[in-house]
Amino acid sequence: EEINSNMKELLIENFFHTARALAIAVEARDPYTGGHSDRVFQIASALGKRCNISATEQLYLEGGALLHDVGKISIRDGVLLKPGPLTDSEYKEMQLHTIMGAQVVKKLNCLFGCIDAVLFHHERMDGYGYPYGIKGSEIPLIARITSVADAFDAMTTNRVYRKALSYDRALEEVIRNSGTQFDPEIVKIFVKWWEDTFQNNLKL
């Protein structure tokens, strides 16, 4: 039993080493997103625990949060690093990062359960997201959690095409998009996490 427990811990450790290595490879291409995957991981992890999901779902959520942008490794620099608005064709190319990312994760058996977060984190509750336009409960739970975590960190981080929003302003945006972009139940949990983290001066 002790050997099995040690093996399990080793597999989980290797799982996250692999996920982090892939995330770092993506962020190395874009200095404006440095640390983004790890911050999304931290937020998603905290939200998952508050959602009382299973240990297996929590593992896939955390791995998926780390890997959510891994498909951007296949996006051309001219699109990924463009300092202004994307054209329609460029935006469609950028959207492919979810599908490309899922294809990368699919090839790694130890990360297979993370595919839902990688593939579906840009879907919306109202069905106007991508890549497939699914909506509501059709979107896997770990993807709905990752969506909120990803959006909040993206809004509060400087990007080549815009300056970061304040935490307060980003919170307002998350709440404003509850029920359209984001799962209302996840938003409620996020708001409580935000209050505990920022109003009580805790760290991520």
Side-chain angles (χ1 to χ4, degrees), residues 41-72:
F41 160 78
Q42 292 181 59
I43 297 170
S45 177
L47 297 182
K49 292 172 183 175
R50 289 169 182 253
C51 289
N52 296 316
I53 61 179
S54 71
T56 300
E57 286 180 304
Q58 183 73 21
L59 180 66
Y60 292 154
L61 167 64
E62 292 176 355
L66 273 175
L67 292 166
H68 73 282
D69 276 344
V70 70
K72 287 184 177 178

CSV table of all heavy atoms in Angstrom, one decimal, residues 41-72:
chain,number,residue,atom,x,y,z
A,41,PHE,N,-3.8,28.8,-13.0
A,41,PHE,CA,-3.8,27.6,-12.2
A,41,PHE,C,-4.1,27.8,-10.7
A,41,PHE,O,-4.9,27.1,-10.1
A,41,PHE,CB,-2.4,27.0,-12.3
A,41,PHE,CG,-2.0,26.0,-11.2
A,41,PHE,CD1,-2.5,24.7,-11.2
A,41,PHE,CD2,-1.2,26.4,-10.1
A,41,PHE,CE1,-2.2,23.8,-10.2
A,41,PHE,CE2,-0.9,25.5,-9.1
A,41,PHE,CZ,-1.4,24.2,-9.2
A,42,GLN,N,-3.5,28.9,-10.1
A,42,GLN,CA,-3.8,29.2,-8.7
A,42,GLN,C,-5.2,29.6,-8.5
A,42,GLN,O,-5.9,29.1,-7.5
A,42,GLN,CB,-2.9,30.3,-8.3
A,42,GLN,CG,-1.4,29.9,-8.2
A,42,GLN,CD,-0.5,31.0,-7.7
A,42,GLN,OE1,-0.7,31.5,-6.6
A,42,GLN,NE2,0.4,31.4,-8.6
A,43,ILE,N,-5.8,30.4,-9.3
A,43,ILE,CA,-7.2,30.8,-9.2
A,43,ILE,C,-8.1,29.7,-9.4
A,43,ILE,O,-9.0,29.4,-8.6
A,43,ILE,CB,-7.5,32.0,-10.2
A,43,ILE,CG1,-6.7,33.2,-9.9
A,43,ILE,CG2,-9.0,32.3,-10.0
A,43,ILE,CD1,-6.7,34.3,-10.9
A,44,ALA,N,-7.9,28.9,-10.5
A,44,ALA,CA,-8.8,27.8,-10.8
A,44,ALA,C,-8.7,26.7,-9.7
A,44,ALA,O,-9.7,26.1,-9.3
A,44,ALA,CB,-8.4,27.2,-12.1
A,45,SER,N,-7.5,26.5,-9.2
A,45,SER,CA,-7.4,25.5,-8.1
A,45,SER,C,-8.2,25.9,-6.9
A,45,SER,O,-8.9,25.1,-6.3
A,45,SER,CB,-5.9,25.4,-7.7
A,45,SER,OG,-5.7,24.5,-6.6
A,46,ALA,N,-8.1,27.2,-6.5
A,46,ALA,CA,-8.9,27.7,-5.4
A,46,ALA,C,-10.4,27.6,-5.6
A,46,ALA,O,-11.2,27.2,-4.7
A,46,ALA,CB,-8.5,29.2,-5.1
A,47,LEU,N,-10.8,27.9,-6.8
A,47,LEU,CA,-12.3,27.8,-7.2
A,47,LEU,C,-12.7,26.4,-7.2
A,47,LEU,O,-13.8,26.1,-6.7
A,47,LEU,CB,-12.5,28.5,-8.5
A,47,LEU,CG,-12.2,30.0,-8.6
A,47,LEU,CD1,-12.6,30.5,-10.0
A,47,LEU,CD2,-13.0,30.8,-7.6
A,48,GLY,N,-11.9,25.5,-7.7
A,48,GLY,CA,-12.3,24.1,-7.7
A,48,GLY,C,-12.5,23.5,-6.3
A,48,GLY,O,-13.5,22.8,-6.1
A,49,LYS,N,-11.7,23.9,-5.4
A,49,LYS,CA,-11.8,23.4,-4.0
A,49,LYS,C,-13.1,24.0,-3.4
A,49,LYS,O,-13.7,23.3,-2.6
A,49,LYS,CB,-10.6,23.8,-3.2
A,49,LYS,CG,-9.3,23.1,-3.6
A,49,LYS,CD,-8.1,23.7,-3.0
A,49,LYS,CE,-6.8,23.0,-3.5
A,49,LYS,NZ,-5.6,23.6,-2.9
A,50,ARG,N,-13.4,25.2,-3.8
A,50,ARG,CA,-14.7,25.8,-3.2
A,50,ARG,C,-15.9,25.2,-3.9
A,50,ARG,O,-17.0,25.2,-3.3
A,50,ARG,CB,-14.7,27.3,-3.4
A,50,ARG,CG,-13.7,28.0,-2.5
A,50,ARG,CD,-13.5,29.5,-2.9
A,50,ARG,NE,-12.5,30.1,-2.0
A,50,ARG,CZ,-12.8,31.0,-1.1
A,50,ARG,NH1,-14.1,31.3,-0.8
A,50,ARG,NH2,-11.8,31.5,-0.3
A,51,CYS,N,-15.7,24.6,-5.1
A,51,CYS,CA,-16.8,23.9,-5.7
A,51,CYS,C,-17.0,22.5,-5.3
A,51,CYS,O,-18.0,21.8,-5.7
A,51,CYS,CB,-16.6,23.9,-7.3
A,51,CYS,SG,-16.7,25.5,-8.1
A,52,ASN,N,-16.1,22.0,-4.4
A,52,ASN,CA,-16.2,20.6,-3.9
A,52,ASN,C,-16.2,19.6,-5.0
A,52,ASN,O,-17.0,18.6,-4.9
A,52,ASN,CB,-17.4,20.5,-2.9
A,52,ASN,CG,-17.3,21.4,-1.7
A,52,ASN,OD1,-16.2,21.5,-1.1
A,52,ASN,ND2,-18.4,22.0,-1.4
A,53,ILE,N,-15.4,19.7,-6.0
A,53,ILE,CA,-15.3,18.7,-7.0
A,53,ILE,C,-14.5,17.6,-6.5
A,53,ILE,O,-13.8,17.7,-5.5
A,53,ILE,CB,-14.8,19.3,-8.3
A,53,ILE,CG1,-13.3,19.8,-8.2
A,53,ILE,CG2,-15.7,20.4,-8.9
A,53,ILE,CD1,-12.7,20.4,-9.4
A,54,SER,N,-14.5,16.4,-7.2
A,54,SER,CA,-13.8,15.3,-6.8
A,54,SER,C,-12.3,15.5,-6.9
A,54,SER,O,-11.8,16.4,-7.6
A,54,SER,CB,-14.2,14.1,-7.7
A,54,SER,OG,-13.7,14.2,-9.0
A,55,ALA,N,-11.5,14.6,-6.3
A,55,ALA,CA,-10.0,14.8,-6.3
A,55,ALA,C,-9.5,14.6,-7.8
A,55,ALA,O,-8.6,15.3,-8.2
A,55,ALA,CB,-9.4,13.7,-5.4
A,56,THR,N,-10.1,13.7,-8.5
A,56,THR,CA,-9.7,13.5,-9.9
A,56,THR,C,-10.1,14.7,-10.8
A,56,THR,O,-9.2,15.2,-11.5
A,56,THR,CB,-10.4,12.3,-10.5
A,56,THR,OG1,-10.1,11.1,-9.7
A,56,THR,CG2,-10.0,12.1,-12.0
A,57,GLU,N,-11.3,15.3,-10.6
A,57,GLU,CA,-11.6,16.5,-11.3
A,57,GLU,C,-10.7,17.7,-10.9
A,57,GLU,O,-10.3,18.5,-11.8
A,57,GLU,CB,-13.1,16.9,-11.0
A,57,GLU,CG,-14.1,16.0,-11.7
A,57,GLU,CD,-15.5,16.4,-11.3
A,57,GLU,OE1,-15.9,16.5,-10.1
A,57,GLU,OE2,-16.3,16.7,-12.3
A,58,GLN,N,-10.4,17.8,-9.7
A,58,GLN,CA,-9.5,18.8,-9.2
A,58,GLN,C,-8.1,18.7,-9.9
A,58,GLN,O,-7.5,19.7,-10.4
A,58,GLN,CB,-9.3,18.8,-7.7
A,58,GLN,CG,-8.4,19.9,-7.1
A,58,GLN,CD,-9.1,21.2,-7.1
A,58,GLN,OE1,-10.3,21.3,-7.2
A,58,GLN,NE2,-8.3,22.3,-7.0
A,59,LEU,N,-7.6,17.5,-10.0
A,59,LEU,CA,-6.3,17.2,-10.7
A,59,LEU,C,-6.4,17.7,-12.2
A,59,LEU,O,-5.5,18.4,-12.7
A,59,LEU,CB,-6.0,15.8,-10.6
A,59,LEU,CG,-4.7,15.3,-11.3
A,59,LEU,CD1,-3.5,15.9,-10.6
A,59,LEU,CD2,-4.6,13.8,-11.3
A,60,TYR,N,-7.5,17.3,-12.9
A,60,TYR,CA,-7.6,17.6,-14.3
A,60,TYR,C,-7.9,19.2,-14.4
A,60,TYR,O,-7.4,19.7,-15.4
A,60,TYR,CB,-8.8,16.9,-14.9
A,60,TYR,CG,-8.5,15.4,-15.0
A,60,TYR,CD1,-9.6,14.5,-15.0
A,60,TYR,CD2,-7.2,14.9,-15.1
A,60,TYR,CE1,-9.3,13.1,-15.1
A,60,TYR,CE2,-7.0,13.5,-15.2
A,60,TYR,CZ,-8.0,12.6,-15.2
A,60,TYR,OH,-7.8,11.3,-15.3
A,61,LEU,N,-8.6,19.8,-13.5
A,61,LEU,CA,-8.8,21.2,-13.5
A,61,LEU,C,-7.5,21.9,-13.4
A,61,LEU,O,-7.2,22.8,-14.2
A,61,LEU,CB,-9.7,21.6,-12.4
A,61,LEU,CG,-9.8,23.1,-12.1
A,61,LEU,CD1,-10.4,23.9,-13.3
A,61,LEU,CD2,-10.6,23.4,-10.8
A,62,GLU,N,-6.6,21.5,-12.5
A,62,GLU,CA,-5.4,22.2,-12.2
A,62,GLU,C,-4.4,22.0,-13.4
A,62,GLU,O,-3.8,23.0,-13.9
A,62,GLU,CB,-4.7,21.7,-10.9
A,62,GLU,CG,-5.5,22.1,-9.7
A,62,GLU,CD,-5.0,21.6,-8.4
A,62,GLU,OE1,-4.0,20.8,-8.5
A,62,GLU,OE2,-5.5,22.0,-7.3
A,63,GLY,N,-4.4,20.8,-13.9
A,63,GLY,CA,-3.5,20.6,-15.1
A,63,GLY,C,-4.1,21.3,-16.3
A,63,GLY,O,-3.3,21.9,-17.1
A,64,GLY,N,-5.4,21.3,-16.5
A,64,GLY,CA,-6.0,22.0,-17.6
A,64,GLY,C,-5.8,23.5,-17.6
A,64,GLY,O,-5.6,24.2,-18.6
A,65,ALA,N,-5.8,24.1,-16.3
A,65,ALA,CA,-5.6,25.5,-16.2
A,65,ALA,C,-4.2,25.9,-16.6
A,65,ALA,O,-3.9,26.9,-17.2
A,65,ALA,CB,-5.9,25.9,-14.7
A,66,LEU,N,-3.2,25.0,-16.2
A,66,LEU,CA,-1.8,25.3,-16.6
A,66,LEU,C,-1.7,25.2,-18.1
A,66,LEU,O,-0.9,26.0,-18.7
A,66,LEU,CB,-0.9,24.2,-15.9
A,66,LEU,CG,-0.4,24.5,-14.5
A,66,LEU,CD1,0.4,23.2,-14.0
A,66,LEU,CD2,0.5,25.7,-14.5
A,67,LEU,N,-2.4,24.3,-18.7
A,67,LEU,CA,-2.2,24.0,-20.1
A,67,LEU,C,-3.2,24.8,-21.0
A,67,LEU,O,-3.2,24.5,-22.3
A,67,LEU,CB,-2.4,22.5,-20.4
A,67,LEU,CG,-1.3,21.7,-19.8
A,67,LEU,CD1,-1.7,20.2,-19.8
A,67,LEU,CD2,0.0,21.9,-20.6
A,68,HIS,N,-4.1,25.6,-20.5
A,68,HIS,CA,-5.2,26.1,-21.3
A,68,HIS,C,-4.8,26.9,-22.5
A,68,HIS,O,-5.5,26.9,-23.5
A,68,HIS,CB,-6.1,27.0,-20.4
A,68,HIS,CG,-5.5,28.4,-20.1
A,68,HIS,ND1,-4.6,28.5,-19.1
A,68,HIS,CD2,-5.8,29.6,-20.6
A,68,HIS,CE1,-4.2,29.8,-19.0
A,68,HIS,NE2,-4.9,30.5,-19.9
A,69,ASP,N,-3.6,27.5,-22.5
A,69,ASP,CA,-3.1,28.2,-23.7
A,69,ASP,C,-2.0,27.5,-24.5
A,69,ASP,O,-1.4,28.1,-25.3
A,69,ASP,CB,-2.6,29.6,-23.3
A,69,ASP,CG,-3.6,30.6,-23.1
A,69,ASP,OD1,-4.7,30.4,-23.6
A,69,ASP,OD2,-3.4,31.7,-22.5
A,70,VAL,N,-1.8,26.2,-24.2
A,70,VAL,CA,-0.7,25.5,-24.8
A,70,VAL,C,-0.8,25.5,-26.4
A,70,VAL,O,0.2,25.5,-27.1
A,70,VAL,CB,-0.6,24.0,-24.3
A,70,VAL,CG1,-1.8,23.2,-24.8
A,70,VAL,CG2,0.7,23.4,-24.7
A,71,GLY,N,-2.0,25.6,-26.9
A,71,GLY,CA,-2.2,25.6,-28.3
A,71,GLY,C,-1.7,26.8,-29.0
A,71,GLY,O,-1.4,26.9,-30.2
A,72,LYS,N,-1.4,27.9,-28.2
A,72,LYS,CA,-0.8,29.1,-28.8
A,72,LYS,C,0.6,28.9,-29.3
A,72,LYS,O,1.1,29.8,-30.1
A,72,LYS,CB,-0.9,30.2,-27.8
A,72,LYS,CG,-2.3,30.8,-27.5
A,72,LYS,CD,-2.3,31.9,-26.6
A,72,LYS,CE,-3.7,32.5,-26.4
A,72,LYS,NZ,-3.8,33.6,-25.4
